[in-house]
């Protein structure tokens, strides 16, 4: 039994709050239920849990002291950025402390010549690009939540975005992090250079979902802002043809800045919402953005237009102004709220697949959709194979959320079956922990547990997320084979919240 | 095209049973990077474990066994006008994919096209328990589980035997041109960093012997236009220059055979103190090579002051540490991670650090 388990329920909330208030501004130690409430979930609000306490330290020393106390007492700690995550990775632990990094919101340094920025973890993703713009630079990864999400959270989830085929994920744009271990010890990982001696710990930490340490400072690369970007929109009468067109662009030797696909359901919803001028009769729509120097963009845009026409696009339109480019993107960017308008609720999945499997996966998904009676709309980062099926449902219909989750689980399993994975950029968190055994066998999961133990032997950092215990795996497997439905159903409903 | 992974797994299990150290060897072209170690280490050879397993040009993904020579990958990729964008050095014809990842070696294009670590999508690995495990995958984005694949970059085999690697590959640029400028080291550092901050198709920036070399790669119109703006003298046989830089065949690397070669990975804008030996600057300043006798502790101080790290890459005293000293807390963490993969300490003991 771990220390956390031994101490479960033993810690007095007010006594602990008093200890924290001795060195943290008392207003930033939250212990009353009303103020704790907004912290009960992250961007995936179907999972929630009230924390014991929330603390918002303002200095690294304070955060360090919080970790030391929690470590000594065996209290779980869940680090939190802006809470925009989509996998319940920041869902609190009922006997734990939420360590909010929101007060760490300063950009410490922008070095235009070295093309790097040093920022605190609570700085918003977009704020970095805004601050760097005066130097003609920007920060590459642009998750759709970039207005709100923080760089610390981006590191924890290895966030991507629309432009990652060309400009990479967080892991490709990170130079170093300052980290607090579970014991509250300070470590510096990475450097101002492009690599460091020995095994790549920076890569290991990126995307580790707050299970290995708490990031207190980040150094990232900045990129020169491309001179020009233009987007070509093309409609196709089948998903297969659109998929082939994506392959043809790559085969042409062009790496687009962004390459997005939407299926007919998503096109119709987005057009009704954003009036971007999308062809609503098309079965699939491609948005291909080319960026670079003026000469390069001109050369590549022509090539892309010709290619789309040759491959049978039913409509082709190219942006000729920044305004037009923004309008063409507007539909794609508002696809989620647009889908939200045609259904009381939607559930966003995040599988990745080899691009060649797209038509097959969408066909299978249609069959599943018909079988379970739930509609699904698809938006797809076509360039890098990241599929976001949006399952439409109504949470007020009893059983429909459970049905949606079961459908979602089958989609992720399909992704693994065709050589893909269960999450491209949203993370595992609580949400996809049941699908982990589909992608990894027990030896691989055990290896993950030993890595976790190398950083956090007592398992108090973000417990219950990311990697299922072997016992959970057995439960999931037996549930999937319908051997022990009750045990499984109970596991499934842990942490479930009801918004009635 | 042979798969000897079962045999490799058996050898690891046998070594674990006997608590016997293993020396993992691919093509042996990077053996000089290792520390000198005492005592017997049985060789675990990956040389026969080779062959491309799958290659989907349209997906930009290639999977090959770790012992596959880089030259074989080059040939396969060239058929589809694609390349290993991290430009791995071929110190000999025997250089392998697995060794390249284990040593985290990338060539001149690295700051723009990414390193081998950046392009790795997945690996298969035999851990110290003799388990053959699969991490990552063959898709561009995958955040399920810890990134064990990229962790292997630079571990020099200490965490397991890499048996298979999946990589993102890229199209070859349609045009390339190299511009040369007479320049002092300090001027070159300013110039290469300034140029790197411009949205132009720069793909390599190197300085040696009073000359700055800037390589442009991309669409023909973009390369021509940028060359027009930037001026300089166009280098003939430029591909050969960059290949010799990549493979350490330039005179800087081959002359004065006995003088140690140091590698600094630092802030690209850093100005380093004058030393007696010679410098070569690559990666627009982020990678600096120094040839000369020096003391590791002194070199580490210089690297730290420049925001980075140093290693004794080739030659010199290899009985001491050859990698930048690590603070105790970080050493302990690395020992813990080593323990998590290789509890009996079978793999390459003492080759990366004396303490691991």
């Amino acid at each position: 039994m771990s220390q956390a388990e031994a101490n479960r329920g033993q810690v007095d909330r007010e006594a602990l709050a008093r200890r924290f208030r001795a060195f943290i501004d008392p207003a930033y130690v939250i212990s009353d239920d009303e103020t704790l409430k907004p912290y009960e979930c992250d961007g995936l609000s179907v999972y929630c849990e009230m924390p014991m306490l929330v603390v918002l330290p303002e200095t690294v020393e304070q955060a360090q002291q919080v970790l030391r106390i929690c470590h000594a007492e065996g209290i779980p700690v869940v680090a939190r950025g802006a809470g925009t995550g989509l996998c319940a990775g920041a869902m609190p632990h009922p006997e734990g402390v939420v360590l909010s990094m929101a007060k760490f919101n300063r950009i410490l340094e922008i070095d235009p010549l070295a093309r790097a920025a040093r920022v605190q973890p609570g700085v918003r993703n977009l704020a970095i690009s805004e601050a760097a713009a005066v130097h003609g630079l920007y920060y590459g990864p642009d998750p759709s939540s970039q207005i709100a999400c923080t760089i610390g959270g981006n590191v924890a989830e290895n966030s991507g975005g629309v432009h990652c085929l060309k400009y990479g994920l967080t892991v490709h744009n990170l130079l170093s992090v300052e980290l607090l271990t579970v014991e509250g010890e300070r470590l510096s990982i990475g450097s101002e250079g492009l690599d460091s001696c020995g095994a790549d710990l920076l890569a290991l930490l990126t995307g580790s979902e707050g299970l290995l340490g708490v990031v207190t400072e980040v150094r990232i690369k900045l990129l020169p802002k491309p001179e020009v970007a233009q987007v070509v929109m093309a409609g196709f009468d089948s998903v297969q043809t659109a998929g082939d067109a994506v392959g043809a662009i790559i085969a042409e030797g062009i790496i687009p800045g962004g390459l997005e696909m939407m299926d007919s359901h998503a096109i119709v919803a987005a057009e009704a919402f954003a009036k971007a001028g999308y062809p609503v009769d098309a079965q699939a729509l491609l948005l291909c953005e080319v960026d670079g120097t003026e000469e390069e963009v001109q050369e590549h845009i022509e090539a892309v237009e010709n290619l789309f026409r040759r491959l049978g696009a039913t409509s082709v339109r190219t942006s000729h102004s920044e305004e037009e480019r923004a309008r063409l993107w507007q539909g794609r960017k508002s696809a989620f709220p647009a889908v939200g308008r045609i259904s009381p609720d939607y559930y966003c999945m995040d599988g990745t697949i080899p691009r060649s499997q797209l038509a097959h996966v969408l066909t299978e998904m249609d069959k599943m959709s018909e079988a379970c009676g739930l509609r699904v709309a698809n938006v797809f980062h076509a360039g890098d194979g990241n599929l976001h099926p949006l399952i439409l449902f109504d949470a007020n219909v009893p059983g429909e959320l459970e049905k949606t989750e079961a459908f979602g689980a089958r989609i992720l399993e399909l992704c693994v079956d065709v050589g893909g994975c269960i999450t491209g950029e949203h993370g595992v968190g609580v949400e996809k922990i049941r699908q982990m055994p589909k992608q990894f066998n027990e030896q691989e999961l055990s290896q993950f547990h030993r890595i976790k133990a190398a950083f956090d032997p007592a398992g108090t950092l973000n417990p219950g997320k990311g990697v299922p215990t072997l016992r959970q795996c057995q439960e999931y497997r037996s549930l999937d084979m319908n051997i022990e439905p009750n045990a499984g159903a109970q596991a499934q409903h842990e942490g479930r919240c009801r918004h009635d | 095209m042979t798969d000897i992974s079962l045999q490799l797994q058996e050898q690891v299990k046998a070594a674990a049973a006997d608590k016997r150290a293993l020396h993992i060897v691919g093509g042996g072209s990077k053996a000089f990077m290792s520390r000198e170690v005492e005592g017997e280490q049985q060789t675990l050879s990956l040389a026969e474990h080779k062959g491309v397993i799958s290659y989907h040009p349209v997906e930009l993904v290639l999977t090959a066994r770790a012992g596959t020579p880089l030259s074989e990958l080059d040939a396969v990729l060239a058929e589809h006008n694609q390349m290993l964008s991290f430009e791995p050095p071929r110190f000999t014809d025997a250089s392998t994919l697995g060794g390249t990842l284990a040593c985290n070696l990338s060539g001149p294009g690295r700051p723009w096209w990414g390193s081998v670590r950046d392009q790795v999508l997945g690996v298969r690995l035999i851990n110290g328990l003799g388990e053959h495990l699969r991490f990552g995958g063959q898709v561009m984005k995958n955040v399920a589980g810890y990134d064990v694949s990229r962790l292997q970059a630079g571990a020099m085999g200490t965490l397991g035997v890499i048996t298979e690697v999946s990589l993102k590959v890229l199209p070859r640029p349609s045009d390339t041109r190299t511009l040369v400028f007479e320049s002092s080291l300090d001027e070159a550092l300013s110039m290469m960093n300034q140029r790197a901050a411009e949205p132009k198709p720069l793909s390599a920036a190197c300085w040696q012997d009073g000359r700055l070399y800037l390589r442009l790669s991309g669409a023909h119109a973009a390369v021509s236009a940028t060359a027009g703006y930037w001026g300089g003298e166009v280098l003939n046989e430029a591909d050969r220059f960059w290949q010799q830089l990549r493979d350490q065949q330039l005179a800087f690397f081959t002359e004065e055979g006995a003088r140690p070669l140091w590698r600094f990975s630092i802030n690209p804008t850093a100005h380093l103190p004058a030393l007696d030996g010679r410098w070569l600057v690559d990666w627009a300043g982020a990678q600096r090579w120094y040839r000369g006798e020096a003391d590791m502790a002194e070199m580490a101080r210089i690297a730290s002051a420049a925001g980075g790290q140093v290693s004794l890459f080739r030659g010199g005293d290899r009985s001491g540490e050859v990698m930048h000293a690590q603070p105790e807390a970080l050493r302990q963490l690395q020992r813990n991670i080593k323990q998590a993969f290789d509890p009996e300490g079978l793999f390459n003991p003492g080759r990366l650090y004396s303490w691991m």
Side-chain angles (χ1 to χ4, degrees):
Chain A
M1 187 162 64
S2 72
Q3 202 171 3
E5 280 171 83
N7 281 358
R8 192 149 293 177
Q10 304 291 306
V11 181
D12 178 313
R13 176 196 292 198
E14 281 311 318
L16 187 65
R18 275 196 300 279
R19 284 183 74 181
F20 289 150
R21 284 182 186 123
F23 61 93
I24 295 177
D25 183 336
Y28 297 150
V29 178
I30 301 168
S31 58
D32 65 289
D33 282 350
E34 196 184 337
T35 323
L36 287 173
K37 186 78 176 162
Y39 292 90
E40 68 175 354
C41 64
D42 58 18
L44 183 61
S45 60
V46 295
Y47 290 94
C48 41
E49 191 78 77
M50 287 289 279
M52 177 172 64
L53 281 179
V54 174
V55 293
L56 298 90
E58 295 175 279
T59 66
V60 175
E61 291 71 24
Q62 290 173 354
Q64 208 170 4
Q65 191 61 17
V66 169
L67 283 163
R68 281 192 195 124
I69 290 171
C70 290
H71 180 62
E73 304 289 341
I75 299 168
V77 175
V78 179
R80 179 183 173 101
T84 56
L86 291 172
C87 65
M91 185 183 88
H93 189 283
E95 283 100 29
V97 169
V98 169
L99 179 60
S100 165
M101 300 306 280
K103 301 290 171 194
F104 290 80
N105 58 0
R106 283 187 304 130
I107 295 176
L108 301 170
E109 181 194 355
I110 288 186
D111 183 343
L113 192 57
R115 289 148 283 123
R118 197 160 58 84
V119 303
Q120 291 187 323
V123 171
R124 292 175 305 110
N125 173 297
L126 189 60
I128 301 168
S129 290
E130 286 168 351
V134 56
H135 305 291
L137 301 170
Y138 76 108
Y139 176 61
D142 57 343
S144 56
S145 56
Q146 73 175 148
I147 294 173
C149 67
T150 62
I151 190 73
N154 291 177
V155 173
E157 302 296 334
N158 191 17
S159 305
V162 171
H163 292 93
C164 53
L165 175 68
K166 188 165 179 182
Y167 298 106
L169 307 159
T170 304
V171 71
H172 301 107
N173 289 278
L174 200 55
L175 291 166
S176 68
V177 296
E178 300 289 313
L179 186 84
L180 291 177
T181 66
V182 69
E183 295 97 348
E185 186 141 23
R186 291 170 87 145
L187 293 179
S188 186
I189 305 218
S191 79
E192 293 173 31
L194 295 173
D195 53 31
S196 302
C197 294
D200 200 323
L201 300 182
L202 191 60
L204 181 66
L205 290 166
T206 310
S208 62
E209 301 194 10
L211 272 77
L212 303 183
V214 178
V215 171
T216 58
E217 196 179 301
V218 182
R219 187 179 173 88
I220 48 178
K221 294 180 198 168
L222 298 174
L223 302 171
K225 198 166 181 314
E227 283 174 5
V228 191
Q230 265 182 293
V231 61
V232 183
M233 175 188 78
F236 292 86
D237 56 12
S238 85
V239 166
Q240 180 74 55
T241 322
D244 291 346
V246 170
I249 293 171
I250 307 280
E252 192 89 342
I254 297 170
I255 301 293
L259 187 51
E260 297 287 305
M261 190 191 292
M262 295 162 74
D263 72 2
S264 57
H265 305 295
I267 298 168
V268 170
E271 180 57 21
F273 186 82
K275 313 253 180 318
Y278 288 177
V280 287
D281 52 346
Q283 289 304 301
L285 180 123
L286 283 181
L287 287 169
C288 176
E289 179 161 293
V290 176
D291 62 10
T293 66
E294 280 178 32
E295 303 83 11
E296 186 175 25
V297 171
Q298 201 180 350
E299 190 173 316
H300 285 170
I301 283 285
E302 257 172 53
V304 170
E305 284 173 344
N306 291 336
L307 206 143
F308 282 162
R309 290 209 179 88
R310 202 173 68 229
L311 293 174
T314 49
S315 60
V316 177
R317 181 173 151 197
T318 302
S319 69
H320 290 286
S321 66
E322 271 306 287
E323 192 199 355
E324 192 176 8
R325 182 173 81 94
R327 197 163 56 244
L328 288 177
W329 273 115
Q330 191 54 41
R332 165 61 186 89
K333 287 193 173 166
S334 55
F336 288 18
V339 164
R341 256 193 8 175
I342 59 169
S343 168
D345 298 284
Y346 68 90
Y347 200 102
C348 177
M349 309 305 297
D350 175 44
T352 59
I353 55 172
R355 228 182 298 107
S356 58
Q357 299 291 326
L358 178 65
H360 167 72
V361 168
L362 292 187
T363 308
E364 288 302 302
M365 220 187 283
D366 271 345
K367 285 184 203 159
M368 291 179 196
S369 162
E370 224 162 274
C372 70
L374 291 170
R375 290 177 298 164
V376 58
N378 273 286
V379 294
F380 184 48
H381 300 306
D384 48 41
N386 193 185
L387 191 63
H388 291 308
L390 303 168
I391 305 174
L392 313 185
F393 72 104
D394 184 348
N396 287 323
V397 174
E400 200 151 296
L401 174 59
E402 287 72 18
K403 213 161 74 173
T404 301
E405 287 197 309
F407 182 14
R410 284 210 302 283
I411 293 174
L412 295 186
E413 287 164 14
L414 174 63
C415 291
V416 175
D417 286 338
V418 300
C421 73
I422 60 171
T423 172
E425 56 186 0
H426 294 174
V428 174
V430 177
E431 185 207 13
K432 298 177 201 80
I433 207 158
R434 289 169 55 83
Q435 280 74 51
M436 282 292 278
K438 177 76 183 174
Q439 194 174 330
F440 298 100
N441 67 29
E442 289 192 5
Q443 289 180 341
E444 288 152 358
L445 293 170
S446 297
Q447 185 64 69
F448 286 149
H449 285 299
R450 290 196 298 275
I451 293 170
K452 164 77 168 168
F455 286 80
D456 175 19
T460 51
L461 282 179
N462 214 5
K465 317 282 177 64
V467 186
T469 63
L470 296 183
R471 207 194 59 186
Q472 282 174 315
C473 291
Q474 283 157 9
E475 282 175 10
Y476 300 154
R477 286 205 171 100
S478 60
L479 174 74
D480 292 341
M481 290 183 290
N482 290 322
I483 294 171
E484 269 184 282
N486 291 333
Q490 199 179 350
Q492 189 184 358
H493 288 102
E494 234 171 274
R496 162 78 73 250
C497 60
R498 289 266 156 227
H499 297 277
D500 297 326
Chain B
M1 281 297 285
T2 37
D3 180 350
I4 60 162
S5 54
L6 285 175
Q7 199 178 312
L8 294 169
Q9 221 179 328
E10 286 311 313
Q11 196 181 344
V12 171
K13 283 181 188 162
D18 301 349
K19 301 198 191 312
R20 201 174 53 218
L22 290 170
H23 177 207
I24 308 169
V25 179
S29 71
K30 293 178 270 291
F32 62 85
M33 289 178 67
S34 168
R35 282 185 71 253
E36 269 166 31
V37 293
E38 287 169 15
E40 192 94 345
Q41 295 189 355
Q42 191 188 58
T43 297
L44 180 85
S45 174
L46 274 288
E48 294 304 313
H49 188 64
K50 59 186 175 188
V52 173
I53 294 169
S54 66
Y55 171 39
H56 303 289
V58 166
E59 305 278 347
L60 302 175
V61 176
L62 176 143
T63 300
R65 295 193 184 94
T68 313
L70 295 174
S71 53
E72 191 179 324
L73 299 180
D74 289 340
V76 170
L77 290 165
E79 281 176 32
H80 294 273
N81 205 28
Q82 294 186 342
M83 62 173 187
L84 296 174
S85 58
F86 48 93
E87 301 190 295
R90 287 77 166 167
F91 293 134
T92 73
D93 292 342
S95 294
T96 63
L97 176 59
T100 298
L101 175 58
C103 297
N104 193 24
L105 292 181
S106 304
R110 187 262 178 265
W112 298 273
W113 293 336
S115 61
V116 57
R117 165 267 204 198
D118 287 339
Q119 305 300 56
V120 163
L121 303 173
V123 297
R124 292 189 77 194
L125 182 86
I126 302 171
N127 67 10
L129 306 176
E131 298 169 339
H132 200 188
L133 310 175
R134 187 187 293 274
F135 298 101
Q138 299 188 33
V139 283
M140 300 289 162
K141 290 159 89 177
N142 181 353
V143 293
Y146 302 116
D147 195 343
V148 174
S149 312
R150 293 194 174 96
L151 174 66
Q152 304 308 318
M156 289 178 73
T158 52
L159 302 180
V161 184
I162 301 166
T163 59
E164 208 175 289
V165 182
S166 293
L167 290 168
K168 178 179 175 185
V169 297
L170 284 179
R172 280 173 184 280
S174 52
D175 193 15
T176 180
R177 196 175 308 180
T178 297
L179 309 173
V180 186
F181 305 81
E182 299 294 325
S183 153
S184 71
L185 172 56
D186 283 351
E187 286 164 358
L189 283 174
S190 306
M191 179 63 82
M192 50 179 53
N193 278 292
Q194 279 164 19
R195 291 304 191 203
E198 292 179 33
K200 298 293 182 188
L202 185 64
S203 71
C206 162
W207 176 91
Q208 72 154 357
D209 283 340
R211 306 184 89 194
L212 166 65
Y213 299 78
L214 300 179
R215 183 178 67 184
L216 299 167
S217 306
H220 173 72
V223 168
S224 290
T226 306
Y229 303 138
W230 286 2
E233 179 195 327
V234 175
L235 182 69
N236 294 320
E237 293 191 50
D239 286 353
R240 185 168 161 75
F241 171 78
W242 296 110
Q243 174 261 312
Q244 291 191 325
L245 170 64
R246 180 195 76 189
D247 299 344
Q248 300 193 345
Q249 292 166 353
L250 293 174
F252 173 89
F253 296 102
T254 56
E255 280 171 4
E256 311 169 72
R259 302 193 80 186
L261 176 68
W262 302 82
R263 175 180 183 268
F264 287 79
S265 178
I266 53 175
N267 184 313
T269 62
H271 290 270
L272 302 183
L275 298 170
D276 293 337
R278 297 171 62 204
W279 290 96
L280 184 149
V281 178
D282 198 2
W283 295 2
Q287 177 174 255
R288 317 258 182 111
W289 298 100
Y290 177 76
R291 293 208 65 184
E293 298 292 341
D295 169 50
M296 183 58 167
E298 176 58 18
M299 295 304 250
R301 265 194 297 280
I302 292 171
S304 296
Q309 301 195 347
V310 68
S311 59
L312 177 52
F313 197 80
R314 202 192 276 263
D317 173 14
R318 310 199 74 81
S319 61
E321 298 298 346
V322 297
M323 295 285 167
H324 199 100
Q326 312 269 324
E328 178 48 34
L330 213 44
R331 263 190 289 187
Q332 189 52 51
L333 179 60
Q334 290 180 80
R335 282 193 209 101
N336 294 349
I337 294 169
K338 167 81 171 169
Q339 180 77 20
F341 281 89
D342 179 20
E344 302 290 352
L346 306 178
F347 301 131
N348 288 356
R351 290 187 181 272
L352 177 61
Y353 300 109
S354 64
W355 42 269
M356 203 172 86

